[in-house]
Amino acid sequence: MSLYVYLEALSRSAQSWEDQGEVVRGGRKSLGEVDASLLGARVQPAAQAFIDAWMKEVKRLEDAAADHAQSLRDASLLFQQADQDVIERSQQLMSWTDRNVSPTVGP
């Protein structure tokens, strides 16, 4: 089995999730500025309940976006660390003169 991970793609995806979280945060801020009392005493309780329910849901979505972004960044760090570990262990098995050989530089 082979696993190919493109770290730049993980980084872009994490940034995209973070950006979307910012958009949602802006929506939550705008929603929080709504004054339901302007709708009158009869409508205000229902409107406030509606706003509160949406504030809770938008906060959940904002947190989920931040969690997704962090998970992608964490995965990227784990892949980078695993790559480095494999390189170091492989180099330890090689002769001293071959440890720093690369595909573009001959022995």
Side-chain angles (χ1 to χ4, degrees):
M1 180 176 108
S2 295
L3 177 64
Y4 295 100
V5 178
Y6 299 101
L7 299 178
E8 183 59 34
L10 287 175
S11 179
R12 281 193 313 268
S13 293
Q15 187 60 52
S16 179
W17 275 107
E18 193 170 281
D19 293 346
Q20 291 305 309
E22 290 294 324
V23 170
V24 172
R25 181 176 295 121
R28 184 170 58 90
K29 183 179 177 193
S30 295
L31 189 58
E33 294 172 354
V34 172
D35 184 2
S37 67
L38 296 174
L39 298 172
R42 286 181 37 191
V43 177
Q44 189 269 336
Q48 191 61 53
F50 178 83
I51 291 168
D52 292 345
W54 270 104
M55 290 284 288
K56 183 178 177 181
E57 178 63 12
V58 170
K59 176 64 173 148
R60 185 191 69 75
L61 293 171
E62 180 184 339
D63 291 344
D67 290 346
H68 288 321
Q70 189 59 49
S71 293
L72 287 166
R73 286 191 174 93
D74 291 346
S76 179
L77 288 173
L78 290 172
F79 285 120
Q80 288 174 2
Q81 183 178 6
D83 284 350
Q84 188 59 40
D85 290 346
V86 168
I87 290 168
E88 288 173 5
R89 281 186 268 150
S90 297
Q91 285 176 332
Q92 289 174 358
L93 295 171
M94 298 172 136
S95 67
W96 185 259
T97 57
D98 290 334
R99 288 187 181 186
N100 294 315
V101 173
S102 72
T104 58
V105 178

